[in-house]
Amino acid sequence: QARLGESGGGSVQAGGSLKLSCATAGLSFDYGSMGWFRHAPGREREGLATIVWDGTTTYANSVKGRFTISKDNAKNTLYLQMNELKPEDTAMYYCAAAFETMTATQALEQVSGFAYRGHGTQVTVSS
């Protein structure tokens, strides 16, 4: 049974940065798909960034150039570096994983529905 747990959220001013971490257990970083999505009140869940078995990444247009997804296989940890944060980035952020192999683009479309996810970490960006 895979387990994921996010950390690193908080409150920042617009233009600031945060780095989210997702500690995992029961997952292999050598196959499958992992990523981040967010959910803000009154809005649909939004896939943000994914990384798949071969290291390929992809990003939503809303965060491309500002957010970077990475993973540390030795630490079984997934990261999301977020720069140039905007008030509209305010949301609960989740990491998620699936054992299925897919392209990074397919993973971005499906990440908010992946079988395994953490409980989320809140990010609040003030103007």
Side-chain angles (χ1 to χ4, degrees):
Q1 184 75 10
R3 298 186 302 278
L4 296 86
E6 304 91 342
S7 61
S11 298
V12 296
Q13 291 190 326
S17 298
L18 285 172
K19 186 173 184 177
L20 305 183
S21 298
C22 175
T24 74
L27 290 173
S28 171
F29 278 44
D30 294 327
Y31 62 89
S33 310
M34 303 183 70
W36 294 88
F37 70 94
R38 66 188 177 191
H39 192 194
R43 300 177 65 179
E44 293 187 355
R45 291 177 294 181
E46 179 186 15
L48 300 175
T50 54
I51 185 166
V52 295
W53 63 277
D54 63 354
T56 303
T57 61
T58 195
Y59 298 90
N61 288 334
S62 60
V63 304
K64 194 175 296 182
R66 299 189 298 125
F67 290 11
T68 302
I69 189 171
S70 63
K71 59 181 180 174
D72 185 327
N73 290 16
K75 296 182 178 180
N76 293 322
T77 301
L78 183 71
Y79 300 100
L80 186 67
Q81 176 68 48
M82 306 186 297
N83 299 327
E84 301 176 31
L85 284 162
K86 306 174 182 180
E88 51 264 45
D89 293 320
T90 296
M92 186 72 79
Y93 284 68
Y94 299 86
C95 61
F99 287 110
E100 292 81 2
T101 299
M102 62 188 76
T103 68
T105 300
Q106 291 170 330
L108 188 65
E109 295 171 352
Q110 301 177 38
V111 62
S112 63
F114 279 178
Y116 302 100
R117 68 176 69 174
H119 290 100
T121 186
Q122 177 68 36
V123 172
T124 303
V125 185
S126 58
S127 57

